[in-house]
Amino acid sequence: MNRPRAVIVICDSLRGDLITPADTPFLVELSERAARFAAHRSVFPSTTRASAASIATGCRPARHGLLGNTMALDEGEGLVCRSAGHPDFPDRMRRATGRTLQVPTLAERLRWHGEISVSCANVSPGAAYFQDPDGHGFVYHAAGSYGPGRLPVEDPASAVLKKGLAGDRAMTERFCAEILEERAPALAIMWLSEPDYTGHHSPLGSPEHRTAIAGADQCARQVFETVRRLDPSGSEILFIAGSDHGMETVARAVDLDALLVSAGLKRAPDSRDVVVAPNGTAATLYFAEPEGALVKQVARFLEAEDWVGEVFIGDRLRAVGLPTDTAMRVAVTLAGEDKANPHGVEGYCPIVQDPADNESKIGFGQHGGLGPNEQRPFLMIEGGGFVASPRHQPTSLVDIAPTVLRHLHMDHDDMDGSALARIVR
Ligand SMILES: [Zn+2]
């Protein structure tokens, strides 16, 4: 018997309820022969970069330390909100906090055993690099590819990739032929840009969005067929297909900086006393004086706003998987509305306006919060002894890493997640 391997395909943003025979024939077929986790949840904030770190570490943001798609960092001149998607963000994080992620990734854990992980990603540089920010395995991305030691590697195949279906298809071809067939690493991860990319730029359930969903389904099929050609019995290669979060339809945009300034709680839109980190349908707020009175004043102000769903402060942060001892002291998830968009897709939610992004998002998809549809990623696991059946116990992104490590016969303790049961009891 050959050594065990694991293959993960992430269809970014694909909501569990948008898996249908018309749009995703492969995933519907797979759900018949795989373990399907029907109550699978994302993390908070339900953003791609925090999710990538949670899939990689088996831990929630409280422990891995990447608190969303944006984070306020103090690099010596006060708190400034930064995009974690930017290629230079891991270095900024290292300067501000002394490290990147605070717990080991799958890539690092594999290296302890002399094994290698290979990740191909067509998402933001941040989401790609936070799977392995310190360079234990290979990460291939258009913004730059790295090998062990975080040494740059020439990778013309990734350099030309653009987000969207054409780029996803080209990445899938390469992933199957070169990574899975030739290099055969112990862990191979492929992260598609769709249907997230189109979902952010068109209405959920629109013809464009459904075409993107169908394209992601075809890419997942190609990987699965390659995997099962290499290992027809399913005893060696564990196959995991899933998404990182779902989406809600954007109802309106809230300028939280302006609201805080007009309420007398923030000196100026770009002041550093309280700094808003917009995360789509959620926001995290950082304070120059984390123990100061302003924290509670801001929380009280937010609790009275009609666009706010829930405010988290103190121990309530811990309950949603966020730290309680950093400059980030308040988090909010915005108030969703349970109604269908013009294409029959449920769920509206406001977003917090990101000053760094002027594009209108109204009527398109977004995520970041705790809304029922954005907290509805899908997860299916086939091979590696997993018995085909629907599972109704709640599961989370953080259960993926320990499940992979158990299959690879490696330690998988000291994580927030647990290895998922192969057999229904
Ligand atoms: Zn995502």
Side-chain angles (χ1 to χ4, degrees), residues 12-13 47-48 191 196 244-245 367:
D12 202 303
S13 272
T47 59
T48 304
W191 200 301
D196 182 79
D244 47 350
H245 49 74
H367 50 91

Side-chain angles (χ1 to χ4, degrees), residues 6-63:
V7 175
I8 302 176
V9 176
I10 302 292
C11 306
D12 202 303
S13 272
L14 180 51
R15 264 168 67 160
D17 62 323
L18 300 184
I19 291 172
T20 63
D23 292 343
T24 59
F26 165 66
L27 289 175
V28 170
E29 271 170 45
L30 182 67
S31 72
E32 304 288 316
R33 59 182 284 179
R36 178 168 59 83
F37 296 86
H40 192 51
R41 303 255 299 169
S42 186
V43 293
F44 180 65
S46 53
T47 59
T48 304
R49 296 153 206 164
S51 297
S54 287
I55 290 174
T57 61
C59 291
R60 296 185 182 86
R63 281 182 70 194

